[in-house]
Amino acid sequence: MSRNILLPRLSEIGAGALDRVPSVLKALGIERPLIVTDSMMQTLGYVDRLTSQLEAAGVAHAVFADTVPEPTESSIKAGVSCMTAGLDGGAAFDGLIALGGGSPIDSAKAIGVLGHFGGTSRDYKFPKEADRIGLPMVAIPTTAGTGSEATRFTIVTDDTAGEKMLCVGVGFMPTAAILDYELTLSVPARVTADTGIDALTHAIEAYVSRKANPFSDEQALAAMRLIGPNLRRVYRRPRDRAAREAMMLGAHLAGVAFSNASVALVHGMSRPIGAAFHVPHGMSNAMLLPAVTAYSIEAAPARYAECARAMGVANPLNTDLAAINLLRKELVALNAELNVPTPGDFGIARDDWAAHLDTMAEQALASGSPGNNPRVPDADEIKAIYERSWFADVDA
Ligand SMILES: [Fe+2]
């Protein structure tokens, strides 16, 4: 059976890569880009740094800085209006530059597809697809987490239905990725932890996925080798350049891995928590990862053991049983050291959590992601895992 593998066509990786944007635009033939970003990137001065380079290179451009965390359909509509209006004077944009964390990049993907092909995000909700390539897009992540610069996915929340929609297709794959780890040096500890666990979850889920393949396996293992030893380091020492560089590459490779395999049960269950309670994506993954792993291990023990070895928490001489026990302990210890809250500690009321269990389980199953898990749960099992995650109980 053949596999469909998608990657960005061009990548610029390393310190100072941000300054290479004009040459990347030239290579891609982009002459009038729309920059899609958020107000934080403006405050940090990254937008000015980018636009002054474009001005120096004589590249006409405009900025849309109104993307929101965990993008919503209404925020995407505002971006689409900006894109279809074109430059002052009316010339149409011929490409996009996405600058920021996962949310601005996910927003730019949706804006690019909807602005070019029309429709709403729901028209591209899985299992429907954006199956055509639209305008070229340069993605510049400023966190080491989502790997969105290397994925064929975007997530948009339908603000009316309160649902996080997974949208898939070649239309959402960036054409170029600029990976400049120096942009992550000022990321706060909480965001560093949440995005880092998100990246680790991508690598683990890609590796244990039913859609794993030899190509995605190699990317996933490489990602775990980079993330495993460096996640605590970047949390404790934000300006550790070597650790930040490893995390940036690790998150990217984890993105390549899951985009070409899939995510699984953690992500399937995480999106409904985000939609209902506005828990940041990586944090809700972290809340779920120990309990979901404990539930899933029996269906793929050798694969989880290999994850433990790649992360550096087990060694090649450990048996699979020893390695998976070490992995379970590690995921609990990691959450403790990175101060990941339980849902209750986050501020969710117990009654509210219980009242949402049916809807969250339904949305998790509808996303399709649980079907990629090595052990496929039914709705009752999903609710039981939500409950174990509430109590941070991983003795499944
Ligand atoms: Fe994720």
Side-chain angles (χ1 to χ4, degrees), residues 198 202 267 281 285:
D198 185 30
H202 294 155
H267 274 74
H281 170 70
N285 281 346

Side-chain angles (χ1 to χ4, degrees), residues 265 268-269 272-273 356-367 370 377-384 386:
L265 184 55
M269 292 180 60
I273 297 178
H356 277 83
L357 285 178
D358 285 336
T359 308
M360 292 200 297
E362 196 181 300
Q363 289 183 348
L365 282 170
S367 75
D378 60 21
D380 285 341
E381 287 177 299
I382 288 180
K383 285 191 268 184
Y386 276 129

Side-chain angles (χ1 to χ4, degrees), residues 133-158:
I133 297 172
L135 290 183
M137 186 179 120
V138 179
I140 312 173
T142 56
T143 57
T146 65
S148 186
E149 76 282 356
T151 77
R152 63 181 83 188
F153 307 113
T154 187
I155 307 276
V156 178
T157 300
D158 179 332

Side-chain angles (χ1 to χ4, degrees), residues 116-332:
H116 193 67
F117 295 115
T120 67
S121 299
R122 191 163 283 281
D123 296 329
Y124 300 96
K125 183 192 159 190
F126 180 82
K128 293 178 200 157
E129 268 193 53
D131 56 3
R132 286 176 295 163
I133 297 172
L135 290 183
M137 186 179 120
V138 179
I140 312 173
T142 56
T143 57
T146 65
S148 186
E149 76 282 356
T151 77
R152 63 181 83 188
F153 307 113
T154 187
I155 307 276
V156 178
T157 300
D158 179 332
D159 8 20
T160 320
E163 177 191 2
K164 280 199 167 195
M165 299 182 292
L166 171 66
C167 303
V168 183
V170 66
F172 297 119
M173 170 58 76
T175 321
I178 307 274
L179 301 181
D180 187 340
Y181 72 86
E182 289 185 332
L183 302 177
T184 68
L185 291 172
S186 57
V187 175
R190 181 74 265 137
V191 178
T192 296
D194 294 344
T195 51
I197 295 182
D198 185 30
L200 177 64
T201 308
H202 294 155
I204 292 174
E205 294 214 291
Y207 193 68
V208 302
S209 165
R210 287 168 182 255
K211 291 185 179 162
N213 56 75
F215 181 87
S216 62
D217 282 350
E218 294 305 316
Q219 316 301 319
L221 290 170
M224 286 185 259
R225 287 186 200 107
L226 288 161
I227 296 166
N230 288 296
L231 182 47
R232 286 177 175 83
R233 278 175 66 182
V234 288
Y235 182 68
R236 291 195 199 117
R237 295 200 299 273
R239 300 203 71 84
D240 184 328
R241 295 175 67 88
R244 287 289 196 186
E245 185 169 21
M247 285 300 298
M248 188 59 131
L249 186 57
H252 180 69
L253 295 178
V256 172
F258 88 85
S259 183
N260 289 299
S262 75
V263 283
L265 184 55
V266 176
H267 274 74
M269 292 180 60
S270 178
R271 293 183 208 106
I273 297 178
F277 302 111
H278 306 289
V279 180
H281 170 70
M283 184 184 283
S284 52
N285 281 346
M287 290 170 176
L288 294 163
L289 184 58
V292 170
T293 303
Y295 166 83
S296 308
I297 272 176
E298 68 173 41
R303 287 243 151 198
Y304 280 103
E306 210 50 41
C307 291
R309 295 182 189 108
M311 289 163 60
V313 299
N315 68 55
L317 298 177
N318 288 128
T319 63
D320 283 359
L321 182 61
I324 57 180
N325 284 331
L326 288 165
L327 178 64
R328 289 176 56 156
K329 280 188 189 138
E330 164 66 4
L331 297 179
V332 173

